[in-house]
Amino acid sequence: MGRDETGAPRDTELEKDRARYGLVAVVMSNLAIAGVAVFGVWRLDGDKAVIVGVLTAAFTAVSSMTTAYLGIKAVSNTARSIALGSPPRREPAHTTAKNPAPAGDAPAPPPQRAP
């Protein structure tokens, strides 16, 4: 199965569309959940115990949906970069010492105690 030269731009556009429509779906779902929660609180006429339950459930649903989307998107991006052969992005190690010791000069681990 051969690929034409326009395969890479088409894949990039497909990923952009997936990200855009996935984000739109999450935002619309979150707005729907918030709308139902507001309507439910409005109809409860001040019953504080039930209002707290409705708002807690709405917050849980919104945060779960958003976290799931972001997690799936991160895993998808990582898998795609691995499949394409590019190394994953790494953050530089932050050191607090002015002159960090080279890796070969690392101190030896403490001796193990006998049982």
Side-chain angles (χ1 to χ4, degrees), residues 49-75:
V50 180
I51 289 174
V52 169
V54 168
L55 292 179
T56 301
F59 178 77
T60 302
V62 166
S63 63
S64 297
M65 175 116 27
T66 304
T67 303
Y69 170 74
L70 294 175
I72 290 168
K73 187 65 182 149
V75 169

Side-chain angles (χ1 to χ4, degrees), residues 2-85:
R3 283 183 66 165
D4 54 358
E5 281 101 31
T6 62
R10 191 175 350 172
D11 288 344
T12 303
E13 289 300 316
L14 179 62
E15 284 299 315
K16 285 181 183 178
D17 288 343
R18 284 181 181 168
R20 184 176 300 123
Y21 290 122
L23 185 61
V24 167
V26 168
V27 169
M28 289 180 65
S29 298
N30 288 346
L31 289 174
I33 292 168
V36 168
V38 167
F39 179 75
V41 167
W42 173 66
R43 295 290 293 169
L44 290 172
D45 295 326
D47 187 4
K48 301 239 187 279
V50 180
I51 289 174
V52 169
V54 168
L55 292 179
T56 301
F59 178 77
T60 302
V62 166
S63 63
S64 297
M65 175 116 27
T66 304
T67 303
Y69 170 74
L70 294 175
I72 290 168
K73 187 65 182 149
V75 169
S76 172
N77 289 344
T78 302
R80 186 170 189 270
S81 69
I82 290 172
L84 293 177

Side-chain angles (χ1 to χ4, degrees), residues 109-115:
Q112 299 295 317
R113 286 193 265 170

Side-chain angles (χ1 to χ4, degrees), residues 90-94:
R90 294 181 185 236
E91 294 295 322
H94 297 289

